[in-house]
Each structure stands twice: as C-alpha cells, then as structure tokens.
Amino acid sequence: MGKPRVIYWFRTDLRLHDSPALKAALDLDPAVLWPIFTWDPHYVYRVKGGVNRWQYLLDCQADLSESIKKLNSKSKLFVLREAPQTLLPKLFKAWNVTHLVFEKDTDAYARERDKTVVELAKKAGVQVIIRFGRTLWDSDEVVARNGGKPTMSITQLQAAGRKVGEISRPIQAPKYLPDPGDMPLVFKQDKPETEPDLNALHRGEKDKTYSHIAGPKGDFSIATLEELGFSEPATTPHRGGETVALKKLQEIFSDEEYAATFQKPKTSPAAFEPQSTTLLSPMLHFGALSPRLFYWRAQDLVEKYGKGASTPPESLTGQLLFRDMYFAAQAAIGSPFVQTLNNDYCRFIPWHLPSKVEATDIGNNAISGEYHVDSPEAEKWFLRWRAGVTGFPFVDALMRQLCVEGWIHHLGRHMVACFLTRGGCYVHWERGADVFEEWLLDHEPACNAGNWQWLSCTAFYSQYYRCYSPIAFGQKWDKRGEFIRKWIPELKNLDEKFIYEPWKASTAALDKAGVKIEGDGLHEKKDGTYPVPMFDFGERRSVCIAAMKRAYSIGLHGGDGRVKDGSWKELFEKAGETEMEGLGGSDVHEKHASDDTDHQRKEGRSSKEGPMDRYAKKLKQSA
C-alpha cells in the first residue's frame, strides 16, 4: 500500500503556525499533500459581508499561499470554486485521495456541512482527520464538562476548562510541505444557486465567482474582488494575513508593561492612530493567528511581570476567555444561539423591528436581514443609527468609523449597541447584529450574537438599568471631541463646549463653526448641516428602563411556547406595556424637528396586530 495522498482543507485556519490539524496531516508522512480552499456558496451568498471583510479574507489567503510557496516552490494555496459538499467527492475520485484533514469548525452551519462531508468521505473510502484549533479548549469538551449546558459566564467557562485540562502550548510551523500531486479536473463543475444573494448590494459588477472552477486562468489562484463581483475597493486601512498577525503580536509584547497590565475597560474607544487595543480579533477570526499562541505569550508575560499584572476578565487572556465562552455557548445551543426565537437562554423582549421567520430543516429561524416594520418611527431611528446620523455625535462617529474601517473599539460597540436597544431606540438586537455582521472585519457569529445579547441584557448580563450615555461616555475619554472631529467633519470647527451636544449651541457658535443643526440626515442632506437628535435621550432612557423592568418581571425566554404562539402579547398588555412590538411606543416627540413631521408620533395609537401575532396564526394554520 502506498503512502497517503492527503487533501488539507483550509477554512478559518489561514496560517501555518500552531495548526494541530496541519500537523496531523504531516504526521501521516504523505506522498502528496494538496492545501486547498473551496469557495462555499453559503458564505458567498447567504452570509452578509461588506467589501472590507472580503478584502481582509483575500489578504489572509494570499499571505498563506506565499508562505506555503516558501516551504515548497511547487505548492501554494489551491483555490477551487465550488461547494465542498459537491466538490470534495469528485476530488476524492479524480485525485485518488486517501485522507481528508481539516480543523474543526464551530459555527452552526459549518458543523452541519462538515457532518455531510464526513459521510461523503466515508462512502468514498477516504479517512477523515479533524483537530480543534480555533479555540483555547475544544468547545464540545467544554460543554460536556459544563453538564451539557452553554457557558453563560466566564466563571462557568473557566471551571469547565479546568476539567478539560490545561490549555495546550502552541506548536511550531512546519519546516517543509510535501509536493502536491496532479490535479486533474475531469468532472463537471456544479454551480450553486446564487439567490438570494445577501451581498448583492455590494456587487456592482457581474459576479464571476463560479465561472471557472480553478479561477479565470485555470491556475487555482486567489480570487480578486472583481471576480467576486465587487467594483468598489475596500476602504479599511487594516490588512490581514499570518505575516502581519505575527508581526503585530511581536510589537504588542515588546511593550511588556502595556501587555502585562492591559485592562480592556480602561482602554479608550476614542483613541485612533494608534487605537488603544490590539486589533488582532480579525486575525483570530480568519485563523491567521492562533488563539493559543496569543494566550501563552500573554500568560507567560504576566507570570514574568508579577505584581501589578492584570487578570481575567479585563486582561488580554480574559479577552480570549470571553471568546471561548461564546463559542461554547453556541456549541451547546446550536443555530438558535444567534437569535431570540427558540433560544431558551435568551430573554424575550418585545422589541421593535422583529425579524421575519421561516421554517428550515433545523427548525423555525429568523431570516437574516429581513424584519417587520411595526413602528415607522423605530424604523427611522434604526436607519439613522446605521447611517451615523442620529444627531448624537459620539454615536455617529463610531458608526461612521465602523462603516469605513470595519472596526470600532469594544467599548464603542457597547455604546452603539446599548443605544439601539435598551438605551434609547428599543429596536431588536438582531437588527444591530445584522449590521455588525455586514461591516465588521472580525465578525464571529458566536461573539457577535453573544455581545449583542449581553448589551441588550437578554443574556449573559442583566443590569438593564445601567445605560451608556451618548454624551457623558464619550466625554469621559475625549473631552475635546477629537474623535468626533475626525469622523464628523461637519462639526470639526465647533467649540468643545458643544461638540457632544451641538443642538445646545447658540446661533453665533454654530455660525462660527459653519454648521447648521437641521433635518434628519437621511433626506435632502445639505453641506454644512448636522441632523437634530432623534429624541430626548433622558426621556427615552427612562421609557426603555421601565419597559425592560416589565419584561424582566414577566420573564419569558425565546423557547417559551407563549413566545411561539403569540400569547406573550396578552401578558405584556395586562402589565400595561406600551413600548413593545406592534405598538407605537411612548408619546415622546423628536426634539428640534418641526420640519420632520412624517414620522412624528401620533398620540393615542391603538394596539394593532404585530408580526409575532401573524407568526402565531401561521403556526395554527399549519397545525
């Protein structure tokens, strides 16, 4: 029997260092090894992603390919354009493959996909080897050691982790890679269904992703933005790749005091050039950086530094533990983790703009990006929040930075998430998670959903009465408003006395700054204008806190039958709730917006059928 013929399937592990799966492949002493990446149509069309994140992924792929070439000039990252479920069985046969090796994935869709691939490999007589490497501990082992339950706190994660065992030390990158074998493509390409395409709005050119299975030149090359249908270049200054990641890691730990005493809550969300945190989270997402390497560099330094070093959860290692906590929670709960419906651990709050729902093979799920407009006013608030024209400069500066760069500081994410949900707009956290999914370079399904649940106080955190002020919170970090001046040029000349509250500025102060406060920022925007604030923050905060208190007292969760059959509404109406899905909310009018009457509140609005009522009717009709 000849030596193994191995496909190494790169996915979210775009690196050579500390790769247990790659080591397992090399330990087979293969005759040939094909490092491949396949464009999975699910991620191309069914997961939202802006151009910035696509470019970051291409950066990581290109860097990995160059690193592979340095180890073996005959090899590189061979990129194929077809769904792995249909492609891999054909490769097994055409390339005479004996082994398939890959790193274990943690996302709900990927886990189901990989089960399918493993079954197909077994039928083809191909041995499959899987190793975990995306997390500090294997998420499934953590769940098992946590009694089969999701880890809903750092304490639970650490306790379960201790039972699993010590976090493994990172392993070295390989010194060589075997030659790839012949790669005949003597089969027909199965082209995917491209609709619905959640990224269609970003594609200005014809999508050519699946035009040629081995790329336009037939050389298995890294794709380009043009091939993927994106006509506009990325706007982020941040670039991906293992080489960049390792260089950044070295720079961070060369400042021993910074790394050893790092405390996340004490870093400024208003800092820029440079930012106050590591900005390594996108590298972790794409696997260009090993979490274990990061962890042990930090842990070893802390032990060396001694007294004065920071500890979890504020420390650098604490940030990695939070990541593992969310991954293990998702591993336990499955696909409902990223939504409220069917999620037994997520509190049900009747937010405005709830998601539309569809029946799938794995149960009823929220439809990505689609939602019901139960309140025209809440819809307008959401659109203004997304566009960075809320009239609250610190919120707007953060949202504009996110859109342009694909990244904002963690505390900035806290600020804008609280503002959209329980701290002002009372809009469903899933709406904000949709926007972050599209714009963040480091979008991780588990971490994104977990953080939005935390900040909306629907899971992980319950102090709903503690709200971030869009005024005071920014002033704490940046009294002069330099961050605002960078991202909101309309206000760059405004006196610092008014930079966080421009609506309070006198006419003389506004004239001196060359700006007018008018409009909503969405319609007929004029040069030299900045929008009026959407609402009185103090009043809206009080309304939201009162509504959250009532929701907590009712105590429903997403898996509750009353949430599914619509009878939740009776409980809230009986409690006297007016700020909820299907109702207009409290009678708070927008301030300074006499010219903005199309969405002014109508007093005495009566209850109407909401989306969850319609969903309940659907269930009854199908029963």
Side-chain angles (χ1 to χ4, degrees), residues 485-521:
R485 297 177 202 280
K486 174 178 171 63
W487 290 105
I488 307 181
E490 307 96 293
L491 301 177
K492 65 181 179 180
N493 296 320
L494 191 60
D495 190 301
E496 69 179 69
K497 181 179 178 181
F498 305 112
I499 194 69
Y500 285 91
E501 301 173 281
W503 61 89
K504 290 186 175 181
S506 65
T507 301
L510 293 173
D511 288 345
K512 183 179 179 181
V515 64
K516 292 182 179 180
I517 307 301
E518 62 180 39
D520 62 11

mmCIF file of all heavy atoms in Angstrom, residues 485-521:
data_model
loop_
_atom_site.group_PDB
_atom_site.id
_atom_site.type_symbol
_atom_site.label_atom_id
_atom_site.label_comp_id
_atom_site.label_asym_id
_atom_site.label_seq_id
_atom_site.Cartn_x
_atom_site.Cartn_y
_atom_site.Cartn_z
ATOM 1 N N ARG A 485 -14.429 64.980 15.737
ATOM 2 C CA ARG A 485 -13.969 65.887 14.668
ATOM 3 C C ARG A 485 -13.390 65.094 13.487
ATOM 4 O O ARG A 485 -13.512 65.510 12.337
ATOM 5 C CB ARG A 485 -12.924 66.863 15.221
ATOM 6 C CG ARG A 485 -13.477 67.791 16.295
ATOM 7 C CD ARG A 485 -12.396 68.697 16.870
ATOM 8 N NE ARG A 485 -12.791 69.183 18.183
ATOM 9 C CZ ARG A 485 -13.632 70.200 18.386
ATOM 10 N NH1 ARG A 485 -14.136 70.841 17.351
ATOM 11 N NH2 ARG A 485 -13.953 70.576 19.610
ATOM 12 N N LYS A 486 -12.754 63.962 13.781
ATOM 13 C CA LYS A 486 -12.183 63.140 12.705
ATOM 14 C C LYS A 486 -13.274 62.525 11.839
ATOM 15 O O LYS A 486 -13.183 62.530 10.608
ATOM 16 C CB LYS A 486 -11.307 62.027 13.293
ATOM 17 C CG LYS A 486 -10.791 61.041 12.238
ATOM 18 C CD LYS A 486 -9.901 59.987 12.857
ATOM 19 C CE LYS A 486 -9.559 58.884 11.851
ATOM 20 N NZ LYS A 486 -8.794 59.364 10.693
ATOM 21 N N TRP A 487 -14.313 62.001 12.472
ATOM 22 C CA TRP A 487 -15.321 61.243 11.744
ATOM 23 C C TRP A 487 -16.549 62.056 11.357
ATOM 24 O O TRP A 487 -17.349 61.607 10.522
ATOM 25 C CB TRP A 487 -15.715 59.999 12.539
ATOM 26 C CG TRP A 487 -14.600 59.008 12.573
ATOM 27 C CD1 TRP A 487 -13.770 58.731 13.609
ATOM 28 C CD2 TRP A 487 -14.157 58.207 11.480
ATOM 29 N NE1 TRP A 487 -12.830 57.797 13.252
ATOM 30 C CE2 TRP A 487 -13.052 57.450 11.933
ATOM 31 C CE3 TRP A 487 -14.585 58.047 10.159
ATOM 32 C CZ2 TRP A 487 -12.379 56.554 11.118
ATOM 33 C CZ3 TRP A 487 -13.912 57.140 9.342
ATOM 34 C CH2 TRP A 487 -12.829 56.414 9.822
ATOM 35 N N ILE A 488 -16.728 63.207 11.980
ATOM 36 C CA ILE A 488 -17.861 64.072 11.611
ATOM 37 C C ILE A 488 -17.305 65.439 11.246
ATOM 38 O O ILE A 488 -17.298 66.366 12.063
ATOM 39 C CB ILE A 488 -18.887 64.180 12.764
ATOM 40 C CG1 ILE A 488 -19.296 62.776 13.228
ATOM 41 C CG2 ILE A 488 -20.127 64.958 12.318
ATOM 42 C CD1 ILE A 488 -20.304 62.754 14.337
ATOM 43 N N PRO A 489 -16.816 65.570 10.028
ATOM 44 C CA PRO A 489 -16.195 66.832 9.620
ATOM 45 C C PRO A 489 -17.140 68.022 9.675
ATOM 46 O O PRO A 489 -16.692 69.161 9.777
ATOM 47 C CB PRO A 489 -15.733 66.558 8.183
ATOM 48 C CG PRO A 489 -16.524 65.374 7.729
ATOM 49 C CD PRO A 489 -16.774 64.563 8.951
ATOM 50 N N GLU A 490 -18.458 67.760 9.654
ATOM 51 C CA GLU A 490 -19.421 68.855 9.770
ATOM 52 C C GLU A 490 -19.224 69.637 11.071
ATOM 53 O O GLU A 490 -19.534 70.827 11.149
ATOM 54 C CB GLU A 490 -20.869 68.315 9.754
ATOM 55 C CG GLU A 490 -21.218 67.412 8.587
ATOM 56 C CD GLU A 490 -21.081 65.944 8.932
ATOM 57 O OE1 GLU A 490 -19.929 65.510 9.166
ATOM 58 O OE2 GLU A 490 -22.105 65.250 8.984
ATOM 59 N N LEU A 491 -18.713 68.921 12.090
ATOM 60 C CA LEU A 491 -18.587 69.537 13.415
ATOM 61 C C LEU A 491 -17.131 69.853 13.786
ATOM 62 O O LEU A 491 -16.853 70.212 14.933
ATOM 63 C CB LEU A 491 -19.192 68.609 14.483
ATOM 64 C CG LEU A 491 -20.667 68.237 14.321
ATOM 65 C CD1 LEU A 491 -21.084 67.255 15.413
ATOM 66 C CD2 LEU A 491 -21.554 69.472 14.353
ATOM 67 N N LYS A 492 -16.209 69.743 12.849
ATOM 68 C CA LYS A 492 -14.792 69.847 13.200
ATOM 69 C C LYS A 492 -14.397 71.188 13.792
ATOM 70 O O LYS A 492 -13.421 71.278 14.544
ATOM 71 C CB LYS A 492 -13.933 69.547 11.980
ATOM 72 C CG LYS A 492 -14.058 70.545 10.846
ATOM 73 C CD LYS A 492 -13.177 70.145 9.672
ATOM 74 C CE LYS A 492 -13.311 71.135 8.513
ATOM 75 N NZ LYS A 492 -12.463 70.738 7.368
ATOM 76 N N ASN A 493 -15.152 72.234 13.480
ATOM 77 C CA ASN A 493 -14.797 73.562 13.990
ATOM 78 C C ASN A 493 -15.665 74.006 15.166
ATOM 79 O O ASN A 493 -15.544 75.151 15.616
ATOM 80 C CB ASN A 493 -14.908 74.601 12.869
ATOM 81 C CG ASN A 493 -13.904 74.348 11.750
ATOM 82 O OD1 ASN A 493 -12.766 73.985 12.012
ATOM 83 N ND2 ASN A 493 -14.333 74.518 10.511
ATOM 84 N N LEU A 494 -16.501 73.133 15.663
ATOM 85 C CA LEU A 494 -17.412 73.500 16.752
ATOM 86 C C LEU A 494 -16.666 73.554 18.086
ATOM 87 O O LEU A 494 -15.790 72.731 18.369
ATOM 88 C CB LEU A 494 -18.559 72.489 16.841
ATOM 89 C CG LEU A 494 -19.739 72.849 17.756
ATOM 90 C CD1 LEU A 494 -20.401 74.147 17.312
ATOM 91 C CD2 LEU A 494 -20.755 71.716 17.782
ATOM 92 N N ASP A 495 -17.017 74.522 18.894
ATOM 93 C CA ASP A 495 -16.414 74.688 20.219
ATOM 94 C C ASP A 495 -16.602 73.400 21.020
ATOM 95 O O ASP A 495 -17.658 72.771 20.988
ATOM 96 C CB ASP A 495 -17.098 75.857 20.941
ATOM 97 C CG ASP A 495 -16.376 76.257 22.216
ATOM 98 O OD1 ASP A 495 -16.227 75.394 23.111
ATOM 99 O OD2 ASP A 495 -15.980 77.435 22.323
ATOM 100 N N GLU A 496 -15.539 72.991 21.741
ATOM 101 C CA GLU A 496 -15.618 71.750 22.506
ATOM 102 C C GLU A 496 -16.732 71.754 23.541
ATOM 103 O O GLU A 496 -17.204 70.695 23.959
ATOM 104 C CB GLU A 496 -14.285 71.443 23.181
ATOM 105 C CG GLU A 496 -13.886 72.375 24.303
ATOM 106 C CD GLU A 496 -12.563 71.980 24.933
ATOM 107 O OE1 GLU A 496 -11.519 72.105 24.278
ATOM 108 O OE2 GLU A 496 -12.600 71.531 26.100
ATOM 109 N N LYS A 497 -17.183 72.929 23.928
ATOM 110 C CA LYS A 497 -18.288 73.036 24.882
ATOM 111 C C LYS A 497 -19.550 72.384 24.334
ATOM 112 O O LYS A 497 -20.389 71.883 25.096
ATOM 113 C CB LYS A 497 -18.540 74.513 25.205
ATOM 114 C CG LYS A 497 -19.658 74.764 26.201
ATOM 115 C CD LYS A 497 -19.809 76.253 26.456
ATOM 116 C CE LYS A 497 -20.959 76.543 27.416
ATOM 117 N NZ LYS A 497 -21.130 78.001 27.639
ATOM 118 N N PHE A 498 -19.689 72.378 23.002
ATOM 119 C CA PHE A 498 -20.914 71.866 22.381
ATOM 120 C C PHE A 498 -20.675 70.630 21.510
ATOM 121 O O PHE A 498 -21.618 70.134 20.897
ATOM 122 C CB PHE A 498 -21.536 72.956 21.502
ATOM 123 C CG PHE A 498 -21.795 74.245 22.201
ATOM 124 C CD1 PHE A 498 -21.063 75.389 21.873
ATOM 125 C CD2 PHE A 498 -22.755 74.337 23.204
ATOM 126 C CE1 PHE A 498 -21.292 76.589 22.515
ATOM 127 C CE2 PHE A 498 -22.990 75.537 23.856
ATOM 128 C CZ PHE A 498 -22.259 76.673 23.516
ATOM 129 N N ILE A 499 -19.457 70.113 21.462
ATOM 130 C CA ILE A 499 -19.129 69.079 20.487
ATOM 131 C C ILE A 499 -19.941 67.801 20.695
ATOM 132 O O ILE A 499 -20.239 67.078 19.740
ATOM 133 C CB ILE A 499 -17.612 68.776 20.502
ATOM 134 C CG1 ILE A 499 -17.219 67.954 19.266
ATOM 135 C CG2 ILE A 499 -17.183 68.093 21.778
ATOM 136 C CD1 ILE A 499 -17.300 68.697 17.974
ATOM 137 N N TYR A 500 -20.334 67.511 21.942
ATOM 138 C CA TYR A 500 -21.150 66.331 22.202
ATOM 139 C C TYR A 500 -22.643 66.641 22.181
ATOM 140 O O TYR A 500 -23.461 65.718 22.083
ATOM 141 C CB TYR A 500 -20.785 65.712 23.564
ATOM 142 C CG TYR A 500 -19.480 64.965 23.516
ATOM 143 C CD1 TYR A 500 -18.277 65.604 23.811
ATOM 144 C CD2 TYR A 500 -19.432 63.626 23.161
ATOM 145 C CE1 TYR A 500 -17.071 64.918 23.754
ATOM 146 C CE2 TYR A 500 -18.232 62.922 23.109
ATOM 147 C CZ TYR A 500 -17.050 63.594 23.398
ATOM 148 O OH TYR A 500 -15.859 62.908 23.331
ATOM 149 N N GLU A 501 -23.006 67.928 22.259
ATOM 150 C CA GLU A 501 -24.408 68.348 22.256
ATOM 151 C C GLU A 501 -24.576 69.577 21.355
ATOM 152 O O GLU A 501 -24.895 70.664 21.835
ATOM 153 C CB GLU A 501 -24.870 68.668 23.676
ATOM 154 C CG GLU A 501 -24.754 67.497 24.647
ATOM 155 C CD GLU A 501 -25.062 67.913 26.085
ATOM 156 O OE1 GLU A 501 -24.180 68.507 26.730
ATOM 157 O OE2 GLU A 501 -26.185 67.647 26.532
ATOM 158 N N PRO A 502 -24.377 69.432 20.057
ATOM 159 C CA PRO A 502 -24.404 70.598 19.165
ATOM 160 C C PRO A 502 -25.750 71.312 19.123
ATOM 161 O O PRO A 502 -25.792 72.501 18.802
ATOM 162 C CB PRO A 502 -24.044 70.002 17.799
ATOM 163 C CG PRO A 502 -24.336 68.545 17.911
ATOM 164 C CD PRO A 502 -24.068 68.186 19.326
ATOM 165 N N TRP A 503 -26.832 70.621 19.467
ATOM 166 C CA TRP A 503 -28.142 71.256 19.478
ATOM 167 C C TRP A 503 -28.270 72.323 20.565
ATOM 168 O O TRP A 503 -29.192 73.139 20.535
ATOM 169 C CB TRP A 503 -29.233 70.199 19.631
ATOM 170 C CG TRP A 503 -29.150 69.400 20.913
ATOM 171 C CD1 TRP A 503 -29.727 69.700 22.110
ATOM 172 C CD2 TRP A 503 -28.429 68.174 21.108
ATOM 173 N NE1 TRP A 503 -29.414 68.747 23.047
ATOM 174 C CE2 TRP A 503 -28.630 67.784 22.457
ATOM 175 C CE3 TRP A 503 -27.660 67.363 20.289
ATOM 176 C CZ2 TRP A 503 -28.073 66.619 22.989
ATOM 177 C CZ3 TRP A 503 -27.112 66.202 20.817
ATOM 178 C CH2 TRP A 503 -27.305 65.848 22.150
ATOM 179 N N LYS A 504 -27.340 72.312 21.503
ATOM 180 C CA LYS A 504 -27.360 73.315 22.564
ATOM 181 C C LYS A 504 -26.557 74.572 22.210
ATOM 182 O O LYS A 504 -26.577 75.554 22.946
ATOM 183 C CB LYS A 504 -26.811 72.723 23.864
ATOM 184 C CG LYS A 504 -27.727 71.684 24.512
ATOM 185 C CD LYS A 504 -27.180 71.260 25.863
ATOM 186 C CE LYS A 504 -28.139 70.311 26.578
ATOM 187 N NZ LYS A 504 -27.616 69.902 27.907
ATOM 188 N N ALA A 505 -25.856 74.508 21.091
ATOM 189 C CA ALA A 505 -25.010 75.642 20.699
ATOM 190 C C ALA A 505 -25.866 76.828 20.266
ATOM 191 O O ALA A 505 -26.931 76.672 19.669
ATOM 192 C CB ALA A 505 -24.078 75.232 19.563
ATOM 193 N N SER A 506 -25.388 78.014 20.570
ATOM 194 C CA SER A 506 -26.086 79.235 20.143
ATOM 195 C C SER A 506 -25.926 79.406 18.633
ATOM 196 O O SER A 506 -25.050 78.814 18.005
ATOM 197 C CB SER A 506 -25.491 80.448 20.856
ATOM 198 O OG SER A 506 -24.137 80.630 20.455
ATOM 199 N N THR A 507 -26.760 80.244 18.070
ATOM 200 C CA THR A 507 -26.670 80.538 16.635
ATOM 201 C C THR A 507 -25.296 81.100 16.300
ATOM 202 O O THR A 507 -24.697 80.739 15.268
ATOM 203 C CB THR A 507 -27.757 81.541 16.222
ATOM 204 O OG1 THR A 507 -29.038 80.985 16.539
ATOM 205 C CG2 THR A 507 -27.693 81.850 14.742
ATOM 206 N N ALA A 508 -24.778 81.941 17.178
ATOM 207 C CA ALA A 508 -23.459 82.536 16.939
ATOM 208 C C ALA A 508 -22.366 81.461 16.918
ATOM 209 O O ALA A 508 -21.467 81.491 16.068
ATOM 210 C CB ALA A 508 -23.152 83.567 18.013
ATOM 211 N N ALA A 509 -22.457 80.504 17.858
ATOM 212 C CA ALA A 509 -21.452 79.433 17.916
ATOM 213 C C ALA A 509 -21.529 78.545 16.680
ATOM 214 O O ALA A 509 -20.498 78.121 16.138
ATOM 215 C CB ALA A 509 -21.650 78.604 19.175
ATOM 216 N N LEU A 510 -22.749 78.280 16.216
ATOM 217 C CA LEU A 510 -22.927 77.452 15.015
ATOM 218 C C LEU A 510 -22.435 78.183 13.771
ATOM 219 O O LEU A 510 -21.783 77.585 12.903
ATOM 220 C CB LEU A 510 -24.400 77.058 14.853
ATOM 221 C CG LEU A 510 -24.968 76.102 15.920
ATOM 222 C CD1 LEU A 510 -26.470 75.941 15.743
ATOM 223 C CD2 LEU A 510 -24.286 74.743 15.843
ATOM 224 N N ASP A 511 -22.739 79.477 13.699
ATOM 225 C CA ASP A 511 -22.280 80.272 12.547
ATOM 226 C C ASP A 511 -20.753 80.313 12.495
ATOM 227 O O ASP A 511 -20.143 80.196 11.426
ATOM 228 C CB ASP A 511 -22.831 81.699 12.642
ATOM 229 C CG ASP A 511 -24.327 81.758 12.346
ATOM 230 O OD1 ASP A 511 -24.853 80.764 11.797
ATOM 231 O OD2 ASP A 511 -24.956 82.783 12.672
ATOM 232 N N LYS A 512 -20.144 80.449 13.661
ATOM 233 C CA LYS A 512 -18.680 80.483 13.718
ATOM 234 C C LYS A 512 -18.079 79.157 13.251
ATOM 235 O O LYS A 512 -17.025 79.121 12.597
ATOM 236 C CB LYS A 512 -18.233 80.784 15.148
ATOM 237 C CG LYS A 512 -16.721 80.919 15.297
ATOM 238 C CD LYS A 512 -16.354 81.250 16.737
ATOM 239 C CE LYS A 512 -14.828 81.367 16.889
ATOM 240 N NZ LYS A 512 -14.446 81.663 18.298
ATOM 241 N N ALA A 513 -18.783 78.048 13.567
ATOM 242 C CA ALA A 513 -18.309 76.720 13.179
ATOM 243 C C ALA A 513 -18.706 76.370 11.753
ATOM 244 O O ALA A 513 -18.243 75.357 11.198
ATOM 245 C CB ALA A 513 -18.857 75.674 14.142
ATOM 246 N N GLY A 514 -19.572 77.180 11.166
ATOM 247 C CA GLY A 514 -20.002 76.925 9.795
ATOM 248 C C GLY A 514 -20.908 75.730 9.656
ATOM 249 O O GLY A 514 -20.820 74.977 8.677
ATOM 250 N N VAL A 515 -21.806 75.522 10.620
ATOM 251 C CA VAL A 515 -22.705 74.371 10.574
ATOM 252 C C VAL A 515 -24.104 74.763 11.044
ATOM 253 O O VAL A 515 -24.258 75.661 11.893
ATOM 254 C CB VAL A 515 -22.153 73.220 11.454
ATOM 255 C CG1 VAL A 515 -22.119 73.622 12.927
ATOM 256 C CG2 VAL A 515 -22.959 71.941 11.277
ATOM 257 N N LYS A 516 -25.108 74.107 10.504
ATOM 258 C CA LYS A 516 -26.496 74.280 10.948
ATOM 259 C C LYS A 516 -27.004 72.945 11.460
ATOM 260 O O LYS A 516 -26.633 71.888 10.946
ATOM 261 C CB LYS A 516 -27.361 74.754 9.785
ATOM 262 C CG LYS A 516 -27.060 76.159 9.292
ATOM 263 C CD LYS A 516 -28.015 76.549 8.171
ATOM 264 C CE LYS A 516 -27.731 77.980 7.685
ATOM 265 N NZ LYS A 516 -28.656 78.377 6.587
ATOM 266 N N ILE A 517 -27.856 72.986 12.473
ATOM 267 C CA ILE A 517 -28.465 71.777 13.016
ATOM 268 C C ILE A 517 -29.880 71.694 12.462
ATOM 269 O O ILE A 517 -30.778 72.425 12.885
ATOM 270 C CB ILE A 517 -28.492 71.802 14.566
ATOM 271 C CG1 ILE A 517 -27.094 72.087 15.121
ATOM 272 C CG2 ILE A 517 -29.035 70.480 15.105
ATOM 273 C CD1 ILE A 517 -26.036 71.089 14.707
ATOM 274 N N GLU A 518 -30.067 70.812 11.489
ATOM 275 C CA GLU A 518 -31.382 70.701 10.864
ATOM 276 C C GLU A 518 -31.525 69.360 10.155
ATOM 277 O O GLU A 518 -30.542 68.717 9.798
ATOM 278 C CB GLU A 518 -31.597 71.830 9.853
ATOM 279 C CG GLU A 518 -30.623 71.835 8.698
ATOM 280 C CD GLU A 518 -30.863 72.980 7.718
ATOM 281 O OE1 GLU A 518 -31.182 74.097 8.155
ATOM 282 O OE2 GLU A 518 -30.703 72.735 6.503
ATOM 283 N N GLY A 519 -32.765 68.938 9.951
ATOM 284 C CA GLY A 519 -33.057 67.716 9.214
ATOM 285 C C GLY A 519 -32.767 66.442 9.981
ATOM 286 O O GLY A 519 -32.420 66.452 11.157
ATOM 287 N N ASP A 520 -32.965 65.326 9.273
ATOM 288 C CA ASP A 520 -32.753 64.016 9.895
ATOM 289 C C ASP A 520 -31.517 63.296 9.366
ATOM 290 O O ASP A 520 -31.208 62.178 9.780
ATOM 291 C CB ASP A 520 -33.987 63.127 9.712
ATOM 292 C CG ASP A 520 -34.295 62.840 8.241
ATOM 293 O OD1 ASP A 520 -33.459 63.148 7.373
ATOM 294 O OD2 ASP A 520 -35.389 62.301 7.968
ATOM 295 N N GLY A 521 -30.793 63.926 8.434
ATOM 296 C CA GLY A 521 -29.580 63.316 7.910
ATOM 297 C C GLY A 521 -29.811 62.275 6.833
ATOM 298 O O GLY A 521 -28.866 61.816 6.196
#
